[in-house]
Amino acid sequence: MTGQPPDDTAERALQDSSDLMPPAFWAFHELYHQAYFEYAFVQLGEQVTADRLVDQTFVFLAVIWPDVTAQENPEAFAWTLLKERVAAELEAQGRPPAAMETMAFERAIRAACNPILDSFRAEFRAQVTELEDGMGLYAAMARLPERQFDVMVLQYALGFPTKKTALVMGVCEATVRSTRRAAKCRLAADLGLELGEDTDDEE
């Protein structure tokens, strides 16, 4: 999975505007395109659809770039726009997010659930035996509030460090850490475990 945009109308539009857009736009594109693609792919479960949606999102950002840069937080504005477009795509297709197909079996069981389980094992040891297959944990993840779910996907499923997660979402690193702690506490409560508020010190 490369996240490279296909040669379609959206990509040609970006190429055609390459001489018109300021370097700041292309720096933004370079910084966030891959992250946007990976998040969209996790949600949509289709690489071509994710590529198309992300390309169209950047074309729209290019069209309104002066408005984007006028925002108090351009990163948060663009992240919200991406998420709205992902939600609209899913609604248009008449289906819920494909995370159960793409995350639970390809990514979350291996990449997200394992490190969370390791953290819980260190805290609870024998109490997590029934969670070893990861499915109970994934079901609990799917019930997280939106921001908590996004942080867990970006950090545990996609492997982004705290700093990059904060940049992608347009929030500060402290917000990512507190959101991650809240998510882990909620997951532990959902799984019948008692995780302390100060146990999360990951970067």
PDB file of all heavy atoms in Angstrom, residues 73 76 147-148 150-152 155 162-163 165-167 169-183 200:
ATOM      1  N   ASN A  73      -6.372  27.340  12.694  1.00  0.00           N
ATOM      2  CA  ASN A  73      -5.667  26.060  12.734  1.00  0.00           C
ATOM      3  C   ASN A  73      -5.903  25.342  11.408  1.00  0.00           C
ATOM      4  O   ASN A  73      -6.830  24.544  11.289  1.00  0.00           O
ATOM      5  CB  ASN A  73      -6.183  25.219  13.905  1.00  0.00           C
ATOM      6  CG  ASN A  73      -5.340  23.987  14.156  1.00  0.00           C
ATOM      7  OD1 ASN A  73      -4.735  23.439  13.238  1.00  0.00           O
ATOM      8  ND2 ASN A  73      -5.291  23.542  15.401  1.00  0.00           N
ATOM      9  N   ALA A  76      -6.201  21.414  11.598  1.00  0.00           N
ATOM     10  CA  ALA A  76      -7.473  20.921  12.121  1.00  0.00           C
ATOM     11  C   ALA A  76      -8.589  21.109  11.092  1.00  0.00           C
ATOM     12  O   ALA A  76      -9.468  20.249  10.948  1.00  0.00           O
ATOM     13  CB  ALA A  76      -7.829  21.645  13.423  1.00  0.00           C
ATOM     14  N   ARG A 147     -12.797  11.288  18.638  1.00  0.00           N
ATOM     15  CA  ARG A 147     -11.408  11.740  18.765  1.00  0.00           C
ATOM     16  C   ARG A 147     -10.532  10.659  19.382  1.00  0.00           C
ATOM     17  O   ARG A 147      -9.385  10.455  18.972  1.00  0.00           O
ATOM     18  CB  ARG A 147     -11.321  13.025  19.589  1.00  0.00           C
ATOM     19  CG  ARG A 147      -9.879  13.473  19.816  1.00  0.00           C
ATOM     20  CD  ARG A 147      -9.771  14.814  20.509  1.00  0.00           C
ATOM     21  NE  ARG A 147      -9.987  15.906  19.588  1.00  0.00           N
ATOM     22  CZ  ARG A 147      -9.763  17.181  19.894  1.00  0.00           C
ATOM     23  NH1 ARG A 147      -9.329  17.522  21.096  1.00  0.00           N
ATOM     24  NH2 ARG A 147      -9.975  18.138  19.011  1.00  0.00           N
ATOM     25  N   GLN A 148     -11.049   9.944  20.384  1.00  0.00           N
ATOM     26  CA  GLN A 148     -10.280   8.873  21.001  1.00  0.00           C
ATOM     27  C   GLN A 148      -9.994   7.771  19.981  1.00  0.00           C
ATOM     28  O   GLN A 148      -8.877   7.242  19.908  1.00  0.00           O
ATOM     29  CB  GLN A 148     -11.028   8.309  22.207  1.00  0.00           C
ATOM     30  CG  GLN A 148     -11.117   9.279  23.373  1.00  0.00           C
ATOM     31  CD  GLN A 148     -11.859   8.702  24.562  1.00  0.00           C
ATOM     32  OE1 GLN A 148     -12.103   7.497  24.646  1.00  0.00           O
ATOM     33  NE2 GLN A 148     -12.246   9.565  25.501  1.00  0.00           N
ATOM     34  N   ASP A 150      -9.800   8.107  16.718  1.00  0.00           N
ATOM     35  CA  ASP A 150      -8.822   8.600  15.752  1.00  0.00           C
ATOM     36  C   ASP A 150      -7.406   8.494  16.305  1.00  0.00           C
ATOM     37  O   ASP A 150      -6.478   8.073  15.606  1.00  0.00           O
ATOM     38  CB  ASP A 150      -9.121  10.047  15.372  1.00  0.00           C
ATOM     39  CG  ASP A 150     -10.328  10.176  14.457  1.00  0.00           C
ATOM     40  OD1 ASP A 150     -10.797   9.146  13.941  1.00  0.00           O
ATOM     41  OD2 ASP A 150     -10.792  11.310  14.247  1.00  0.00           O
ATOM     42  N   VAL A 151      -7.224   8.888  17.554  1.00  0.00           N
ATOM     43  CA  VAL A 151      -5.892   8.822  18.159  1.00  0.00           C
ATOM     44  C   VAL A 151      -5.398   7.381  18.213  1.00  0.00           C
ATOM     45  O   VAL A 151      -4.236   7.094  17.883  1.00  0.00           O
ATOM     46  CB  VAL A 151      -5.897   9.446  19.571  1.00  0.00           C
ATOM     47  CG1 VAL A 151      -4.622   9.079  20.337  1.00  0.00           C
ATOM     48  CG2 VAL A 151      -6.024  10.960  19.478  1.00  0.00           C
ATOM     49  N   MET A 152      -6.265   6.463  18.605  1.00  0.00           N
ATOM     50  CA  MET A 152      -5.846   5.063  18.700  1.00  0.00           C
ATOM     51  C   MET A 152      -5.529   4.480  17.322  1.00  0.00           C
ATOM     52  O   MET A 152      -4.581   3.707  17.158  1.00  0.00           O
ATOM     53  CB  MET A 152      -6.927   4.227  19.402  1.00  0.00           C
ATOM     54  CG  MET A 152      -7.237   4.694  20.817  1.00  0.00           C
ATOM     55  SD  MET A 152      -5.812   4.731  21.923  1.00  0.00           S
ATOM     56  CE  MET A 152      -5.894   3.072  22.605  1.00  0.00           C
ATOM     57  N   GLN A 155      -2.169   6.174  16.135  1.00  0.00           N
ATOM     58  CA  GLN A 155      -0.982   5.781  16.890  1.00  0.00           C
ATOM     59  C   GLN A 155      -0.748   4.272  16.892  1.00  0.00           C
ATOM     60  O   GLN A 155       0.384   3.827  16.695  1.00  0.00           O
ATOM     61  CB  GLN A 155      -1.098   6.288  18.327  1.00  0.00           C
ATOM     62  CG  GLN A 155      -1.058   7.816  18.396  1.00  0.00           C
ATOM     63  CD  GLN A 155      -0.263   8.309  19.573  1.00  0.00           C
ATOM     64  OE1 GLN A 155      -0.831   8.579  20.625  1.00  0.00           O
ATOM     65  NE2 GLN A 155       1.035   8.437  19.409  1.00  0.00           N
ATOM     66  N   THR A 162       3.473  10.421  18.732  1.00  0.00           N
ATOM     67  CA  THR A 162       2.611  11.461  19.284  1.00  0.00           C
ATOM     68  C   THR A 162       2.707  12.758  18.493  1.00  0.00           C
ATOM     69  O   THR A 162       1.692  13.391  18.178  1.00  0.00           O
ATOM     70  CB  THR A 162       2.972  11.721  20.758  1.00  0.00           C
ATOM     71  OG1 THR A 162       2.748  10.524  21.510  1.00  0.00           O
ATOM     72  CG2 THR A 162       2.123  12.842  21.348  1.00  0.00           C
ATOM     73  N   LYS A 163       3.916  13.179  18.162  1.00  0.00           N
ATOM     74  CA  LYS A 163       4.104  14.446  17.463  1.00  0.00           C
ATOM     75  C   LYS A 163       3.399  14.443  16.111  1.00  0.00           C
ATOM     76  O   LYS A 163       2.707  15.406  15.753  1.00  0.00           O
ATOM     77  CB  LYS A 163       5.590  14.741  17.280  1.00  0.00           C
ATOM     78  CG  LYS A 163       5.861  16.087  16.615  1.00  0.00           C
ATOM     79  CD  LYS A 163       7.354  16.387  16.553  1.00  0.00           C
ATOM     80  CE  LYS A 163       7.611  17.748  15.938  1.00  0.00           C
ATOM     81  NZ  LYS A 163       9.064  18.065  15.903  1.00  0.00           N
ATOM     82  N   THR A 165       0.936  12.469  15.116  1.00  0.00           N
ATOM     83  CA  THR A 165      -0.507  12.384  15.345  1.00  0.00           C
ATOM     84  C   THR A 165      -1.074  13.767  15.635  1.00  0.00           C
ATOM     85  O   THR A 165      -2.125  14.148  15.098  1.00  0.00           O
ATOM     86  CB  THR A 165      -0.810  11.431  16.514  1.00  0.00           C
ATOM     87  OG1 THR A 165      -0.318  10.120  16.193  1.00  0.00           O
ATOM     88  CG2 THR A 165      -2.305  11.351  16.797  1.00  0.00           C
ATOM     89  N   ALA A 166      -0.368  14.531  16.456  1.00  0.00           N
ATOM     90  CA  ALA A 166      -0.817  15.882  16.780  1.00  0.00           C
ATOM     91  C   ALA A 166      -0.838  16.773  15.544  1.00  0.00           C
ATOM     92  O   ALA A 166      -1.793  17.526  15.328  1.00  0.00           O
ATOM     93  CB  ALA A 166       0.099  16.483  17.851  1.00  0.00           C
ATOM     94  N   LEU A 167       0.199  16.665  14.711  1.00  0.00           N
ATOM     95  CA  LEU A 167       0.251  17.474  13.497  1.00  0.00           C
ATOM     96  C   LEU A 167      -0.898  17.124  12.553  1.00  0.00           C
ATOM     97  O   LEU A 167      -1.556  18.010  12.006  1.00  0.00           O
ATOM     98  CB  LEU A 167       1.592  17.257  12.790  1.00  0.00           C
ATOM     99  CG  LEU A 167       2.821  17.900  13.440  1.00  0.00           C
ATOM    100  CD1 LEU A 167       4.084  17.431  12.733  1.00  0.00           C
ATOM    101  CD2 LEU A 167       2.715  19.420  13.401  1.00  0.00           C
ATOM    102  N   MET A 169      -3.817  15.754  13.175  1.00  0.00           N
ATOM    103  CA  MET A 169      -5.134  16.118  13.700  1.00  0.00           C
ATOM    104  C   MET A 169      -5.271  17.616  13.967  1.00  0.00           C
ATOM    105  O   MET A 169      -6.383  18.092  14.219  1.00  0.00           O
ATOM    106  CB  MET A 169      -5.408  15.334  14.989  1.00  0.00           C
ATOM    107  CG  MET A 169      -5.534  13.831  14.783  1.00  0.00           C
ATOM    108  SD  MET A 169      -5.848  12.931  16.332  1.00  0.00           S
ATOM    109  CE  MET A 169      -7.489  13.542  16.737  1.00  0.00           C
ATOM    110  N   GLY A 170      -4.151  18.337  13.941  1.00  0.00           N
ATOM    111  CA  GLY A 170      -4.212  19.765  14.210  1.00  0.00           C
ATOM    112  C   GLY A 170      -4.458  20.086  15.668  1.00  0.00           C
ATOM    113  O   GLY A 170      -5.152  21.056  15.988  1.00  0.00           O
ATOM    114  N   VAL A 171      -3.887  19.259  16.556  1.00  0.00           N
ATOM    115  CA  VAL A 171      -4.018  19.497  17.994  1.00  0.00           C
ATOM    116  C   VAL A 171      -2.622  19.497  18.605  1.00  0.00           C
ATOM    117  O   VAL A 171      -1.637  19.173  17.936  1.00  0.00           O
ATOM    118  CB  VAL A 171      -4.897  18.420  18.669  1.00  0.00           C
ATOM    119  CG1 VAL A 171      -6.313  18.444  18.106  1.00  0.00           C
ATOM    120  CG2 VAL A 171      -4.290  17.025  18.503  1.00  0.00           C
ATOM    121  N   CYS A 172      -2.512  19.841  19.879  1.00  0.00           N
ATOM    122  CA  CYS A 172      -1.208  19.825  20.536  1.00  0.00           C
ATOM    123  C   CYS A 172      -0.891  18.414  21.034  1.00  0.00           C
ATOM    124  O   CYS A 172      -1.778  17.566  21.166  1.00  0.00           O
ATOM    125  CB  CYS A 172      -1.174  20.823  21.687  1.00  0.00           C
ATOM    126  SG  CYS A 172      -2.253  20.426  23.068  1.00  0.00           S
ATOM    127  N   GLU A 173       0.383  18.181  21.297  1.00  0.00           N
ATOM    128  CA  GLU A 173       0.810  16.856  21.753  1.00  0.00           C
ATOM    129  C   GLU A 173       0.171  16.493  23.090  1.00  0.00           C
ATOM    130  O   GLU A 173      -0.147  15.326  23.340  1.00  0.00           O
ATOM    131  CB  GLU A 173       2.333  16.792  21.845  1.00  0.00           C
ATOM    132  CG  GLU A 173       3.019  16.857  20.495  1.00  0.00           C
ATOM    133  CD  GLU A 173       4.531  16.788  20.592  1.00  0.00           C
ATOM    134  OE1 GLU A 173       5.027  15.915  21.338  1.00  0.00           O
ATOM    135  OE2 GLU A 173       5.213  17.599  19.943  1.00  0.00           O
ATOM    136  N   ALA A 174      -0.022  17.488  23.953  1.00  0.00           N
ATOM    137  CA  ALA A 174      -0.652  17.216  25.243  1.00  0.00           C
ATOM    138  C   ALA A 174      -2.076  16.696  25.051  1.00  0.00           C
ATOM    139  O   ALA A 174      -2.536  15.817  25.791  1.00  0.00           O
ATOM    140  CB  ALA A 174      -0.664  18.482  26.105  1.00  0.00           C
ATOM    141  N   THR A 175      -2.775  17.217  24.034  1.00  0.00           N
ATOM    142  CA  THR A 175      -4.134  16.744  23.753  1.00  0.00           C
ATOM    143  C   THR A 175      -4.113  15.296  23.295  1.00  0.00           C
ATOM    144  O   THR A 175      -4.966  14.488  23.698  1.00  0.00           O
ATOM    145  CB  THR A 175      -4.792  17.633  22.683  1.00  0.00           C
ATOM    146  OG1 THR A 175      -4.941  18.955  23.200  1.00  0.00           O
ATOM    147  CG2 THR A 175      -6.165  17.089  22.291  1.00  0.00           C
ATOM    148  N   VAL A 176      -3.130  14.951  22.459  1.00  0.00           N
ATOM    149  CA  VAL A 176      -3.011  13.559  22.012  1.00  0.00           C
ATOM    150  C   VAL A 176      -2.760  12.647  23.207  1.00  0.00           C
ATOM    151  O   VAL A 176      -3.387  11.595  23.345  1.00  0.00           O
ATOM    152  CB  VAL A 176      -1.884  13.408  20.975  1.00  0.00           C
ATOM    153  CG1 VAL A 176      -1.627  11.925  20.672  1.00  0.00           C
ATOM    154  CG2 VAL A 176      -2.235  14.144  19.691  1.00  0.00           C
ATOM    155  N   ARG A 177      -1.861  13.054  24.093  1.00  0.00           N
ATOM    156  CA  ARG A 177      -1.545  12.211  25.249  1.00  0.00           C
ATOM    157  C   ARG A 177      -2.751  12.044  26.168  1.00  0.00           C
ATOM    158  O   ARG A 177      -3.060  10.931  26.620  1.00  0.00           O
ATOM    159  CB  ARG A 177      -0.379  12.819  26.034  1.00  0.00           C
ATOM    160  CG  ARG A 177       0.946  12.808  25.294  1.00  0.00           C
ATOM    161  CD  ARG A 177       2.093  13.200  26.218  1.00  0.00           C
ATOM    162  NE  ARG A 177       3.315  13.392  25.460  1.00  0.00           N
ATOM    163  CZ  ARG A 177       3.771  14.567  25.058  1.00  0.00           C
ATOM    164  NH1 ARG A 177       3.092  15.671  25.344  1.00  0.00           N
ATOM    165  NH2 ARG A 177       4.890  14.653  24.366  1.00  0.00           N
ATOM    166  N   SER A 178      -3.449  13.140  26.443  1.00  0.00           N
ATOM    167  CA  SER A 178      -4.605  13.047  27.330  1.00  0.00           C
ATOM    168  C   SER A 178      -5.731  12.252  26.684  1.00  0.00           C
ATOM    169  O   SER A 178      -6.433  11.482  27.361  1.00  0.00           O
ATOM    170  CB  SER A 178      -5.093  14.442  27.726  1.00  0.00           C
ATOM    171  OG  SER A 178      -5.555  15.169  26.604  1.00  0.00           O
ATOM    172  N   THR A 179      -5.891  12.407  25.361  1.00  0.00           N
ATOM    173  CA  THR A 179      -6.923  11.645  24.651  1.00  0.00           C
ATOM    174  C   THR A 179      -6.579  10.169  24.653  1.00  0.00           C
ATOM    175  O   THR A 179      -7.457   9.311  24.839  1.00  0.00           O
ATOM    176  CB  THR A 179      -7.054  12.152  23.205  1.00  0.00           C
ATOM    177  OG1 THR A 179      -7.405  13.544  23.226  1.00  0.00           O
ATOM    178  CG2 THR A 179      -8.130  11.376  22.445  1.00  0.00           C
ATOM    179  N   ARG A 180      -5.304   9.852  24.456  1.00  0.00           N
ATOM    180  CA  ARG A 180      -4.877   8.450  24.485  1.00  0.00           C
ATOM    181  C   ARG A 180      -5.098   7.838  25.868  1.00  0.00           C
ATOM    182  O   ARG A 180      -5.570   6.706  25.996  1.00  0.00           O
ATOM    183  CB  ARG A 180      -3.406   8.361  24.087  1.00  0.00           C
ATOM    184  CG  ARG A 180      -2.886   6.929  23.940  1.00  0.00           C
ATOM    185  CD  ARG A 180      -1.439   6.931  23.470  1.00  0.00           C
ATOM    186  NE  ARG A 180      -0.564   7.575  24.431  1.00  0.00           N
ATOM    187  CZ  ARG A 180       0.384   8.452  24.112  1.00  0.00           C
ATOM    188  NH1 ARG A 180       0.583   8.805  22.855  1.00  0.00           N
ATOM    189  NH2 ARG A 180       1.148   8.991  25.045  1.00  0.00           N
ATOM    190  N   ARG A 181      -4.757   8.594  26.913  1.00  0.00           N
ATOM    191  CA  ARG A 181      -4.991   8.095  28.271  1.00  0.00           C
ATOM    192  C   ARG A 181      -6.472   7.837  28.505  1.00  0.00           C
ATOM    193  O   ARG A 181      -6.860   6.799  29.058  1.00  0.00           O
ATOM    194  CB  ARG A 181      -4.476   9.107  29.304  1.00  0.00           C
ATOM    195  CG  ARG A 181      -2.985   9.055  29.540  1.00  0.00           C
ATOM    196  CD  ARG A 181      -2.606   9.792  30.807  1.00  0.00           C
ATOM    197  NE  ARG A 181      -2.949  11.213  30.737  1.00  0.00           N
ATOM    198  CZ  ARG A 181      -2.157  12.152  30.252  1.00  0.00           C
ATOM    199  NH1 ARG A 181      -0.968  11.819  29.786  1.00  0.00           N
ATOM    200  NH2 ARG A 181      -2.541  13.416  30.234  1.00  0.00           N
ATOM    201  N   ALA A 182      -7.312   8.803  28.080  1.00  0.00           N
ATOM    202  CA  ALA A 182      -8.757   8.638  28.262  1.00  0.00           C
ATOM    203  C   ALA A 182      -9.269   7.422  27.500  1.00  0.00           C
ATOM    204  O   ALA A 182     -10.114   6.672  27.995  1.00  0.00           O
ATOM    205  CB  ALA A 182      -9.488   9.900  27.805  1.00  0.00           C
ATOM    206  N   ALA A 183      -8.739   7.213  26.283  1.00  0.00           N
ATOM    207  CA  ALA A 183      -9.166   6.067  25.481  1.00  0.00           C
ATOM    208  C   ALA A 183      -8.777   4.760  26.163  1.00  0.00           C
ATOM    209  O   ALA A 183      -9.574   3.810  26.232  1.00  0.00           O
ATOM    210  CB  ALA A 183      -8.550   6.146  24.084  1.00  0.00           C
ATOM    211  N   ASP A 200      -0.300   5.931  31.366  1.00  0.00           N
ATOM    212  CA  ASP A 200       0.069   6.098  29.964  1.00  0.00           C
ATOM    213  C   ASP A 200       1.189   7.115  29.836  1.00  0.00           C
ATOM    214  O   ASP A 200       0.980   8.301  30.062  1.00  0.00           O
ATOM    215  CB  ASP A 200      -1.142   6.549  29.144  1.00  0.00           C
ATOM    216  CG  ASP A 200      -0.829   6.572  27.658  1.00  0.00           C
ATOM    217  OD1 ASP A 200      -0.316   7.595  27.173  1.00  0.00           O
ATOM    218  OD2 ASP A 200      -1.096   5.566  26.996  1.00  0.00           O
TER     219      ASP A 200
END
